[in-house]
Amino acid sequence: MLRALLADPMGALGLGLVLLFVAMALFAPWVAPADPIRLNVVEKFQPPSLAHLAGTDQLGRDLLSRIIFGARTALSIALTSVGLAGLGGLILGMIAGFGPRWLDAVLVLMFDSMSSLPMIMFALAVITIVGPGTGTLILVVVLVSIPAYARLIRAQTLSLVGADFIVAERAMGASSARILFRHLLPNVIGPLVILLSMDVPVVIMLEAGLSYLNLGVRPPTPSWGNILYDGYTSIRSAPYMVLIAGFPLVLSTLGFTFLGEGLRDALDPKLKRGEQ
């Protein structure tokens, strides 16, 4: 799979961008040139220079350091929430597709009810009740994303339960657990991985948007959304802040999108771009 992914220029570019942001997040304390929350108002609104490669903000904080630590904030929220939602969707989807029909009907009704809630509106409602914060963002994404993942896994499971190899396993007396984990799970996990990789930038943008509205990550924790908001409020004094804050958002979105398309082509060549 990795060889097929690297053979695709867009997939290889996406993988490279994703690895770059993951490395930034993991090694932020070592690669950041300064403390991202250290104040130095004497040097506020310094344009990009050798001393501060990305300039400073309205409080004199090094913007490059805040961008690097912001990658840790964005990826930790996105990967945690998408991973938990994917796990929940995998479990519920396999239960719905493999379990009794009455249970399938109940779960599908639950999926439909949850899917009817727009993510942004649901996020604003939960934040109003619970309060802003990292945990609230993760909770919102998990609750809103599970139905889509569960529906995908349910459809994949239903398409396989009548396959010859599953029927043969049942005829030989295989347990439900063996069928689920030994035969169904490896065959349904691929499409889920593709969908998860494509949803990561959606969560990153959601976190940035809510942080921009002061409803997400709370200051002084570095967040791309907070940096973007600071740049907007100071656009007359430091227009470079908006560009610098928007740059990683664009690159991370492109990276995970290209990676998801590359994984799709590698895992299922029949869906390759340009082929019918």
Side-chain angles (χ1 to χ4, degrees), residues 65-145:
S65 299
R66 292 184 62 76
I67 291 293
I68 292 173
F69 275 87
R72 170 175 285 192
T73 301
L75 288 181
S76 62
I77 292 175
L79 295 179
T80 300
S81 55
V82 169
L84 291 174
L87 179 61
L90 178 65
I91 295 172
L92 292 176
M94 291 184 70
I95 292 174
F98 192 76
R101 293 304 91 197
W102 67 267
L103 182 57
D104 179 37
V106 171
L107 290 175
V108 169
L109 178 61
M110 183 180 70
F111 300 156
D112 290 341
S113 300
M114 295 177 66
S115 298
S116 65
L117 300 172
M119 180 179 287
I120 293 295
M121 298 302 296
F122 182 69
L124 293 175
V126 173
I127 289 172
T128 301
I129 297 172
V130 180
T134 301
T136 305
L137 279 175
I138 293 174
L139 175 64
V140 168
V141 174
V142 169
L143 293 178
V144 173
S145 301

Side-chain angles (χ1 to χ4, degrees), residues 29-235:
W30 294 277
V31 298
D35 185 343
I37 62 174
R38 184 177 66 86
L39 307 182
N40 187 1
V41 292
V42 176
E43 296 185 355
K44 68 178 181 179
F45 294 137
Q46 292 291 314
S49 64
L50 291 178
H52 300 282
L53 296 179
T56 60
D57 63 8
Q58 75 281 8
L59 297 176
R61 297 172 295 191
D62 184 76
L63 279 177
L64 179 59
S65 299
R66 292 184 62 76
I67 291 293
I68 292 173
F69 275 87
R72 170 175 285 192
T73 301
L75 288 181
S76 62
I77 292 175
L79 295 179
T80 300
S81 55
V82 169
L84 291 174
L87 179 61
L90 178 65
I91 295 172
L92 292 176
M94 291 184 70
I95 292 174
F98 192 76
R101 293 304 91 197
W102 67 267
L103 182 57
D104 179 37
V106 171
L107 290 175
V108 169
L109 178 61
M110 183 180 70
F111 300 156
D112 290 341
S113 300
M114 295 177 66
S115 298
S116 65
L117 300 172
M119 180 179 287
I120 293 295
M121 298 302 296
F122 182 69
L124 293 175
V126 173
I127 289 172
T128 301
I129 297 172
V130 180
T134 301
T136 305
L137 279 175
I138 293 174
L139 175 64
V140 168
V141 174
V142 169
L143 293 178
V144 173
S145 301
I146 280 180
Y149 302 146
R151 277 187 162 277
L152 172 67
I153 297 300
R154 173 183 176 271
Q156 294 289 321
T157 303
L158 287 174
S159 68
L160 291 170
V161 291
D164 292 341
F165 69 96
I166 299 295
V167 174
E169 282 289 319
R170 282 176 167 167
M172 290 186 293
S175 65
S176 297
R178 176 181 172 84
I179 294 174
L180 282 170
F181 294 105
R182 183 72 180 271
H183 299 286
L184 290 178
L185 181 60
N187 286 284
V188 303
I189 197 70
L192 179 62
V193 171
I194 297 171
L195 185 59
L196 292 178
S197 64
M198 289 187 168
D199 279 354
V200 168
V202 177
V203 179
I204 290 176
M205 295 299 292
L206 175 66
E207 180 274 320
L210 291 175
S211 296
Y212 178 87
L213 298 173
N214 290 322
L215 296 174
V217 177
R218 307 302 295 165
T221 303
S223 164
W224 292 341
N226 289 337
I227 299 171
L228 194 62
Y229 175 78
D230 292 339
Y232 174 76
T233 57
S234 308
I235 194 167

Side-chain angles (χ1 to χ4, degrees), residues 1-23:
M1 184 184 72
L2 180 59
R3 182 176 298 178
L5 180 63
L6 294 177
D8 180 4
M10 302 302 286
L13 175 61
L15 179 61
L17 289 173
V18 169
L19 291 178
L20 172 63
F21 282 105
V22 170

